[in-house]
């Protein structure tokens, strides 16, 4: 039986959707507009707590929303960018409105706002010039009990004089109405990279050394960073998300579907580097575990086995049980206590979820009723009863945080200007710790994905619950702030996957295909301001993954605030002109430029056409293999012709593309160096000719996604010790290291 046709959107529901940031249409291309299904709009409104079940309910909700917006004094969040004009939310307040600000530090600023008078000039950092002294206190003003009196001429000047931070703002109008908002005072731009640099891109699990336990770990990362900084002049190493995974049998191997984004995964620990390891009592048992880890490592490196994350974690878990039984010394105990205090209830929730998952399984939706609520009496009792296990998982988070920070220190000590670039996944697993602990800010019954586009005609459903923009705003975007602050503890830079999600996300109702979703908008100004604030506090760079379909104005907004973009060679064409490869001088400067990513074929595979053969073997082609190969050959030939015309190929091969792949890969990176890009990334497997993508979108069990060790062109796994000695890798990195006094050394 055919599905019933969709009811058209009424004027009321379209207006209601607009007022809640829910799209009723979208434009996949400048000349094309697609209407979204009414069912998607209704489902999104329902997930936002809006009753849209019928015409009467829609009309009532619309009237209520319009009244709310008309009568409120302030929106949930007000953003004050340093050096910018006063926020419109303040200049629109009635004359005589009184403003009161409580800063992050608890100081009170209280003045009457005559908002018809513009504020004075603003010094760098948002401090008011003319009448305001250090710290925003007017010269000659009196400070009593933390309250600043008599000096700021009006409310606009008061806000202009505030320090960076997320403050609480209260407005009281002459008619007695009041309004409250979070006031984000942010620097105008994020920190920029300290000069131009190149670096390595690697999936950490794939980087095995002769000391790791069957997959790459944080000590391997520190070793790679130390070598790359000193011997190759690299400025950074970018890794995959290291967020905590959902435990299971098997565990979801994708680092982009984590249990928690705020806390890291202890599977990445180097157990022997934990100080208490030396004092563990059962040495015989630990020796046995080390022997088993060596066999697991040999299976991967010598026998070509896939990386078995679950087996690695089982060995490490047993070892960590022994190591964490050793009491901490006074200094270490104080450091651990400080970590727990700094992360507070969030860490308790995280550790409690893992303790409960050990008893009831990793899907909290199937736990006993009382335990599904993190704030219930049943959960409080369980937290007490499982105190030892809760402490165990909290200590794991602390230990992992410590080794992450050690890796960043190693990178900076090796001379890296940026250090470790961490990756922030776009969302979390619906069954995991964050989704359990933050149920109030996630949209029930919805999943994040992408609409149909040129690369995927069926759209995508990533199975990740989205944050509710209204609930985020009501908390001052606290979950987002806390997440960024946690990651910036150990990141020299942060890559944000699908950075367009700061502006809008494609919500797909459960049970519907990805095509039947709609966009829901977020407060992008607030999201960017908080990002700028936290990045500035950490002195960290931010890179946005902005590949694919991007809403008009988004890239410009990101660039204006100093968020670097992502440019991948094969996609950089003159799409608004002749479609040919974009010459290097026309690339944008504010970006990370690379030849490929973890979701794309390695450069050797693209040059030789192996990526088409792989997709053909797996039945993933949407056209004949002949057509796909012909298009791939033509694409590669165009790029090689451009490289040749620019004199970037030392010895152009006489044969077809890929016949001298090492020289062609070097030429590709010479081209990247010719662009104005601030950062240039080398996909580490490209350095030894690996042909296999780490992830092949559109596959699940047909391909070993996220489980492949770095290998050479024959598919032989190559350990870290051999990798850094590879003449091929050294020759590639030599291309990117400028000559001179600080030039090549050991490469």
């Amino acid at each position: 039986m055919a599905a019933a046709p969709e009811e058209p959107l009424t004027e009321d529901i379209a207006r209601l959707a607009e007022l809640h940031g829910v799209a009723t249409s979208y434009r996949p291309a400048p000349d094309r507009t697609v209407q979204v299904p009414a069912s998607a709009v209704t489902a999104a409104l329902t997930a936002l707590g809006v009753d849209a079940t019928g015409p009467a309910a829609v009309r009532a909700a619309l009237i209520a929303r319009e009244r709310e917006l008309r009568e409120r004094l302030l929106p949930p969040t007000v953003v004050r960018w340093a050096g910018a004009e006063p926020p419109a939310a303040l200049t629109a307040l009635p004359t005589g409105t009184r403003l009161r600000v409580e800063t992050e530090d608890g100081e009170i600023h209280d003045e009457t706002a005559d908002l018809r008078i513009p504020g004075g000039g603003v010094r760098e950092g948002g401090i008011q010039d003319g009448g305001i002294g250090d710290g925003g206190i007017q010269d000659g003003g009196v400070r009593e009990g933390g309250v600043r009196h008599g000096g700021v001429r009006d409310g606009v000047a008061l806000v202009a004089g505030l320090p960076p931070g997320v403050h609480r703002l209260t407005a009281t109008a002459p008619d007695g109405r009041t309004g409250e908002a979070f006031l984000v005072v942010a620097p105008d731009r994020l920190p920029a990279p300290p000069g131009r640099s190149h670096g390595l891109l690697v999936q950490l699990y794939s980087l095995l050394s002769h000391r790791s336990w069957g997959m790459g770990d944080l000590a391997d990362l520190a070793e790679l960073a130390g070598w790359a900084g000193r011997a190759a002049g690299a400025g950074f190493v970018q890794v995959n998300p290291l967020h905590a995974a959902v435990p299971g049998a098997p565990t979801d191997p994708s680092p982009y579907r984590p249990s928690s984004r705020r806390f890291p995964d202890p599977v990445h620990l180097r157990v022997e580097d934990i100080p208490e390891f030396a004092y563990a009592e059962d040495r015989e048992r630990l020796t046995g575990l080390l022997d088993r880890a060596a066999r697991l490592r040999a299976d991967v490196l010598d026998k070509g086995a896939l990386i078995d994350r679950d087996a690695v974690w089982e060995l490490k878990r047993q070892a960590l049980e022994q190591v964490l039984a050793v009491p901490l010394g006074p200094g270490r105990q104080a450091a651990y206590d400080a970590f727990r205090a700094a992360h507070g209830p969030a860490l308790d929730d995280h550790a409690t979820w893992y303790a409960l998952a050990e008893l009831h399984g990793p899907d909290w939706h199937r736990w006993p009723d009382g335990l599904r609520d993190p704030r219930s009496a049943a959960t409080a009792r369980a937290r007490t009863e499982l105190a030892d296990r809760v402490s165990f998982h909290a200590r794991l988070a602390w230990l992992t945080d410590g080794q992450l920070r050690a890796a960043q220190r190693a990178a900076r000590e090796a001379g890296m200007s940026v250090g470790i670039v961490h990756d922030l996944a776009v969302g979390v697993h619906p069954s995991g710790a964050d989704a359990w602990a933050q149920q109030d800010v996630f949209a029930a019954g919805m999943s994040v994905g992408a609409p149909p586009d040129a690369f995927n005609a069926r759209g995508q459903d990533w199975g990740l619950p989205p944050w509710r923009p209204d609930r985020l705003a009501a908390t001052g975007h606290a979950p987002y702030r806390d997440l960024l602050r946690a990651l910036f503890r150990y990141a020299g830079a942060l890559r944000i996957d699908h950075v367009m999600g700061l502006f809008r996300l494609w919500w797909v109702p459960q049970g519907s295909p990805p095509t039947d979703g709609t966009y829901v908008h977020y407060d992008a100004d607030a999201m960017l301001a908080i990002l700028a604030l936290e990045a500035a506090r950490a002195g960290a760079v931010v890179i946005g993954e902005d590949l694919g379909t991007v809403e008009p104005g988004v890239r410009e907004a990101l660039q204006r605030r100093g968020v670097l973009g992502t440019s991948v060679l094969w996609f950089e064409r003159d799409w608004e002109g002749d479609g040919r490869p974009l010459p290097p001088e026309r690339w944008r400067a504010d970006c990370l430029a690379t030849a490929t990513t973890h979701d794309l074929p390695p450069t050797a595979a693209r040059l030789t056409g192996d990526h088409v053969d792989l997709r053909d073997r797996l039945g993933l082609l949407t056209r004949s293999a002949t057509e796909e190969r012909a298009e791939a050959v033509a694409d590669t030939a165009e790029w090689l012709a451009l490289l040749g015309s620019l004199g970037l190929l030392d010895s152009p091969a006489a044969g077809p593309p890929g016949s001298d792949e090492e020289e062609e890969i070097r030429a590709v990176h010479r081209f990247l160096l010719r662009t104005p890009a601030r950062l240039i990334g080398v996909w580490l497997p490209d350095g030894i000719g690996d042909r296999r993508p780490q992830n092949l979108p559109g596959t699940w069990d047909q391909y070993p996604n996220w489980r492949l060790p770095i290998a050479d062109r024959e598919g032989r796994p190559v350990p870290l010790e051999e990798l850094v000695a590879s003449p091929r890798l050294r020759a590639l990195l030599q291309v990117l290291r400028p000559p001179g006094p600080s030039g090549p050394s050991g490469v």
Side-chain angles (χ1 to χ4, degrees), residues 87-99:
L90 297 187
T91 58
L93 288 171
T95 299
T97 297
R98 188 173 185 83
L99 296 184

PDB file of all heavy atoms in Angstrom, residues 87-99:
ATOM      1  N   PRO A  87      25.591  45.129  21.762  1.00  0.00           N
ATOM      2  CA  PRO A  87      24.620  44.133  21.295  1.00  0.00           C
ATOM      3  C   PRO A  87      23.253  44.760  21.061  1.00  0.00           C
ATOM      4  O   PRO A  87      22.784  45.605  21.847  1.00  0.00           O
ATOM      5  CB  PRO A  87      24.574  43.131  22.454  1.00  0.00           C
ATOM      6  CG  PRO A  87      25.838  43.355  23.222  1.00  0.00           C
ATOM      7  CD  PRO A  87      26.172  44.789  23.064  1.00  0.00           C
ATOM      8  N   ALA A  88      22.605  44.340  19.983  1.00  0.00           N
ATOM      9  CA  ALA A  88      21.283  44.883  19.659  1.00  0.00           C
ATOM     10  C   ALA A  88      20.280  44.604  20.768  1.00  0.00           C
ATOM     11  O   ALA A  88      19.364  45.396  20.997  1.00  0.00           O
ATOM     12  CB  ALA A  88      20.796  44.280  18.337  1.00  0.00           C
ATOM     13  N   ALA A  89      20.456  43.499  21.472  1.00  0.00           N
ATOM     14  CA  ALA A  89      19.532  43.168  22.555  1.00  0.00           C
ATOM     15  C   ALA A  89      19.553  44.224  23.649  1.00  0.00           C
ATOM     16  O   ALA A  89      18.553  44.421  24.353  1.00  0.00           O
ATOM     17  CB  ALA A  89      19.882  41.807  23.145  1.00  0.00           C
ATOM     18  N   LEU A  90      20.675  44.920  23.802  1.00  0.00           N
ATOM     19  CA  LEU A  90      20.766  45.967  24.815  1.00  0.00           C
ATOM     20  C   LEU A  90      20.286  47.308  24.288  1.00  0.00           C
ATOM     21  O   LEU A  90      19.579  48.050  24.983  1.00  0.00           O
ATOM     22  CB  LEU A  90      22.201  46.090  25.323  1.00  0.00           C
ATOM     23  CG  LEU A  90      22.785  44.869  26.030  1.00  0.00           C
ATOM     24  CD1 LEU A  90      24.146  45.197  26.620  1.00  0.00           C
ATOM     25  CD2 LEU A  90      21.845  44.364  27.110  1.00  0.00           C
ATOM     26  N   THR A  91      20.652  47.637  23.075  1.00  0.00           N
ATOM     27  CA  THR A  91      20.244  48.930  22.529  1.00  0.00           C
ATOM     28  C   THR A  91      18.743  48.988  22.291  1.00  0.00           C
ATOM     29  O   THR A  91      18.180  50.074  22.165  1.00  0.00           O
ATOM     30  CB  THR A  91      20.998  49.221  21.223  1.00  0.00           C
ATOM     31  OG1 THR A  91      20.737  48.181  20.275  1.00  0.00           O
ATOM     32  CG2 THR A  91      22.498  49.314  21.474  1.00  0.00           C
ATOM     33  N   ALA A  92      18.078  47.833  22.249  1.00  0.00           N
ATOM     34  CA  ALA A  92      16.631  47.805  22.047  1.00  0.00           C
ATOM     35  C   ALA A  92      15.847  47.900  23.351  1.00  0.00           C
ATOM     36  O   ALA A  92      14.613  47.976  23.328  1.00  0.00           O
ATOM     37  CB  ALA A  92      16.243  46.526  21.312  1.00  0.00           C
ATOM     38  N   LEU A  93      16.532  47.902  24.494  1.00  0.00           N
ATOM     39  CA  LEU A  93      15.835  47.964  25.774  1.00  0.00           C
ATOM     40  C   LEU A  93      15.206  49.338  25.989  1.00  0.00           C
ATOM     41  O   LEU A  93      15.716  50.353  25.501  1.00  0.00           O
ATOM     42  CB  LEU A  93      16.809  47.662  26.916  1.00  0.00           C
ATOM     43  CG  LEU A  93      17.263  46.212  27.057  1.00  0.00           C
ATOM     44  CD1 LEU A  93      18.392  46.114  28.075  1.00  0.00           C
ATOM     45  CD2 LEU A  93      16.110  45.307  27.452  1.00  0.00           C
ATOM     46  N   PRO A  94      14.118  49.399  26.750  1.00  0.00           N
ATOM     47  CA  PRO A  94      13.476  50.699  27.022  1.00  0.00           C
ATOM     48  C   PRO A  94      14.421  51.636  27.768  1.00  0.00           C
ATOM     49  O   PRO A  94      15.236  51.203  28.590  1.00  0.00           O
ATOM     50  CB  PRO A  94      12.271  50.327  27.894  1.00  0.00           C
ATOM     51  CG  PRO A  94      12.038  48.878  27.639  1.00  0.00           C
ATOM     52  CD  PRO A  94      13.372  48.280  27.340  1.00  0.00           C
ATOM     53  N   THR A  95      14.303  52.926  27.488  1.00  0.00           N
ATOM     54  CA  THR A  95      15.098  53.922  28.196  1.00  0.00           C
ATOM     55  C   THR A  95      14.832  53.828  29.696  1.00  0.00           C
ATOM     56  O   THR A  95      13.697  53.689  30.135  1.00  0.00           O
ATOM     57  CB  THR A  95      14.743  55.327  27.691  1.00  0.00           C
ATOM     58  OG1 THR A  95      15.045  55.397  26.302  1.00  0.00           O
ATOM     59  CG2 THR A  95      15.528  56.400  28.441  1.00  0.00           C
ATOM     60  N   GLY A  96      15.906  53.911  30.454  1.00  0.00           N
ATOM     61  CA  GLY A  96      15.765  53.839  31.896  1.00  0.00           C
ATOM     62  C   GLY A  96      15.837  52.442  32.461  1.00  0.00           C
ATOM     63  O   GLY A  96      15.722  52.257  33.679  1.00  0.00           O
ATOM     64  N   THR A  97      16.032  51.446  31.601  1.00  0.00           N
ATOM     65  CA  THR A  97      16.181  50.079  32.083  1.00  0.00           C
ATOM     66  C   THR A  97      17.434  49.963  32.948  1.00  0.00           C
ATOM     67  O   THR A  97      18.484  50.516  32.624  1.00  0.00           O
ATOM     68  CB  THR A  97      16.282  49.101  30.895  1.00  0.00           C
ATOM     69  OG1 THR A  97      15.069  49.138  30.159  1.00  0.00           O
ATOM     70  CG2 THR A  97      16.527  47.676  31.386  1.00  0.00           C
ATOM     71  N   ARG A  98      17.301  49.290  34.053  1.00  0.00           N
ATOM     72  CA  ARG A  98      18.433  49.112  34.970  1.00  0.00           C
ATOM     73  C   ARG A  98      19.075  47.745  34.716  1.00  0.00           C
ATOM     74  O   ARG A  98      18.385  46.738  34.643  1.00  0.00           O
ATOM     75  CB  ARG A  98      17.968  49.211  36.419  1.00  0.00           C
ATOM     76  CG  ARG A  98      19.113  49.219  37.430  1.00  0.00           C
ATOM     77  CD  ARG A  98      18.606  49.495  38.840  1.00  0.00           C
ATOM     78  NE  ARG A  98      19.705  49.623  39.781  1.00  0.00           N
ATOM     79  CZ  ARG A  98      20.405  50.738  39.979  1.00  0.00           C
ATOM     80  NH1 ARG A  98      20.104  51.820  39.278  1.00  0.00           N
ATOM     81  NH2 ARG A  98      21.386  50.778  40.865  1.00  0.00           N
ATOM     82  N   LEU A  99      20.381  47.757  34.569  1.00  0.00           N
ATOM     83  CA  LEU A  99      21.116  46.523  34.317  1.00  0.00           C
ATOM     84  C   LEU A  99      21.938  46.141  35.536  1.00  0.00           C
ATOM     85  O   LEU A  99      22.514  46.993  36.208  1.00  0.00           O
ATOM     86  CB  LEU A  99      22.058  46.671  33.123  1.00  0.00           C
ATOM     87  CG  LEU A  99      21.423  46.934  31.756  1.00  0.00           C
ATOM     88  CD1 LEU A  99      22.503  46.956  30.693  1.00  0.00           C
ATOM     89  CD2 LEU A  99      20.365  45.895  31.426  1.00  0.00           C
TER      90      LEU A  99
END
